[in-house]
Amino acid sequence: MEKLYYSIGEAAQAIGESTSLVRYWTNEFDRHFKVKRSSRGDRKYTAEDIDTLKQIHYLVNVKGMTLEGVDKALKENKGAVDRSVKVLESLKIIRDQLVEVKKAL
């Protein structure tokens, strides 16, 4: 069962980046997030927020886009970026499974 909210540490782990980078991206692209705050002021991310972080990660690290370019891409082509991220994640899972099969042989 999927959680409703994730901590900043869990969000960072999901994309393989530091919490400070997640915090920076959340501030930089605030209009693309629905981050809530706990009573202590901690950020709480939804699954949709984590998907957005994955899209930003893909655009910056795989496509080599600038932050301005990422913002434009998120506004204009969110669906296309989302599909690319999901395909990349699926390929990584398949690669990991193939590595496990190779080890078992």
Side-chain angles (χ1 to χ4, degrees):
M1 186 167 151
E2 194 172 287
K3 293 169 61 171
L4 290 178
Y5 294 103
Y6 299 86
S7 69
I8 192 169
E10 291 170 321
Q13 185 177 13
I15 64 168
E17 294 290 350
S18 67
T19 56
S20 60
L21 184 61
V22 170
R23 191 177 300 107
Y24 175 75
W25 282 349
T26 303
N27 291 336
E28 187 70 26
F29 303 107
D30 61 338
R31 70 181 148 277
H32 300 289
F33 291 98
K34 298 178 180 104
V35 176
K36 305 263 188 227
R37 297 241 181 205
S38 70
S39 59
R40 294 184 351 194
D42 297 333
R43 297 168 198 247
K44 296 306 216 176
Y45 294 84
T46 64
E48 185 179 324
D49 291 330
I50 292 176
D51 286 342
T52 302
L53 286 168
K54 288 177 181 178
Q55 291 171 16
I56 294 168
H57 184 267
Y58 170 78
L59 292 171
V60 170
N61 293 324
V62 176
K63 292 292 194 177
M65 295 178 80
T66 64
L67 296 181
E68 187 177 291
V70 169
D71 191 40
K72 185 176 178 181
L74 288 175
K75 281 191 259 183
E76 295 176 358
N77 302 314
K78 188 161 176 84
V81 173
D82 191 39
R83 282 190 299 279
S84 296
V85 170
K86 290 186 189 288
V87 167
L88 189 60
E89 286 179 352
S90 295
L91 289 173
K92 286 179 182 178
I93 291 169
I94 291 169
R95 183 187 64 207
D96 292 344
Q97 290 172 343
L98 289 172
V99 167
E100 289 299 317
V101 168
K102 184 178 177 182
K103 286 180 184 177
L105 294 178

